[in-house]
Amino acid sequence: MNAAFLITPKSDVKFVYDHWTIRQALEKMEHYRYSAIPILNKKGIYVGTLTEGDILWNLKKNEDLDFWDTEKMLLKDVPRYRDIKAISIDVEIEDIMEKSLSQNFVPIVDDSGVFIGIIRRREIISYLLKLREEAQSKA
């Protein structure tokens, strides 16, 4: 099965831009209760995923910073602990299952790297449960 059937489109996904500040990202993540969020550039290209840990480690490394300094620091300057790669929309669902083990969602891009949405771990699990139920009903 093609992964396109499980995608949550960009229009339904919350994301941040790499030219935003850490504070803007924190506020969005807090509002939606996210622990990770996709980062796009101004052209809509997926550049990575920001996690709460990335922000915390950055603040720890810069001990002289306080919360108000987060209004001046851009996301593109925040090192990310994990390099979460996006996957092409053409991939088969079986090929993204392993990626979903270590992250809540898998970013999906088109052939130009433009972000088009995500596939959530819960959608993958739902798909697998449906397959199991179908197999059990045939048995």
Side-chain angles (χ1 to χ4, degrees):
M1 177 176 170
N2 186 282
F5 291 102
L6 299 177
I7 194 168
T8 301
K10 179 181 177 181
S11 59
D12 295 336
V13 175
K14 307 303 180 225
F15 53 87
V16 294
Y17 289 102
D18 64 354
H19 64 275
W20 283 16
T21 65
I22 293 175
R23 176 144 185 202
Q24 288 172 303
L26 279 170
E27 288 176 357
K28 192 163 205 173
M29 291 171 76
E30 177 185 28
H31 179 76
Y32 291 103
R33 315 283 289 159
Y34 289 168
S35 59
I37 193 165
I39 307 170
L40 311 182
N41 69 15
K42 289 181 182 181
K43 295 180 180 179
I45 304 291
Y46 171 80
V47 296
T49 295
L50 179 71
T51 67
E52 291 173 326
D54 297 332
I55 296 169
L56 290 172
W57 288 118
N58 186 52
L59 292 174
K60 181 182 182 282
K61 288 179 184 177
N62 298 294
E63 294 175 8
D64 57 328
L65 296 177
D66 64 24
F67 180 72
W68 303 111
D69 292 324
T70 63
E71 294 177 353
K72 301 172 196 151
M73 297 182 68
L74 302 181
L75 292 181
K76 63 183 171 186
D77 299 327
V78 175
R80 290 186 297 281
Y81 175 71
R82 292 179 52 215
D83 184 23
I84 297 174
K85 301 280 187 203
I87 294 181
S88 168
I89 187 63
D90 298 325
V91 74
E92 295 296 317
I93 190 67
E94 292 79 11
D95 297 329
I96 66 168
M97 285 185 214
E98 187 175 336
K99 272 193 152 307
S100 72
L101 292 174
S102 61
Q103 54 202 58
N104 292 333
F105 62 86
V106 178
I108 306 297
V109 296
D110 67 10
D111 293 337
S112 302
V114 174
F115 180 76
I116 56 175
I118 61 173
I119 297 178
R120 293 183 175 106
R121 182 187 300 154
R122 75 176 133 195
E123 301 303 331
I124 295 168
I125 293 170
S126 294
Y127 167 73
L128 293 173
L129 287 172
K130 181 180 173 186
L131 285 180
R132 185 181 76 171
E133 289 171 5
E134 289 173 1
Q136 287 176 344
S137 68
K138 289 180 183 178

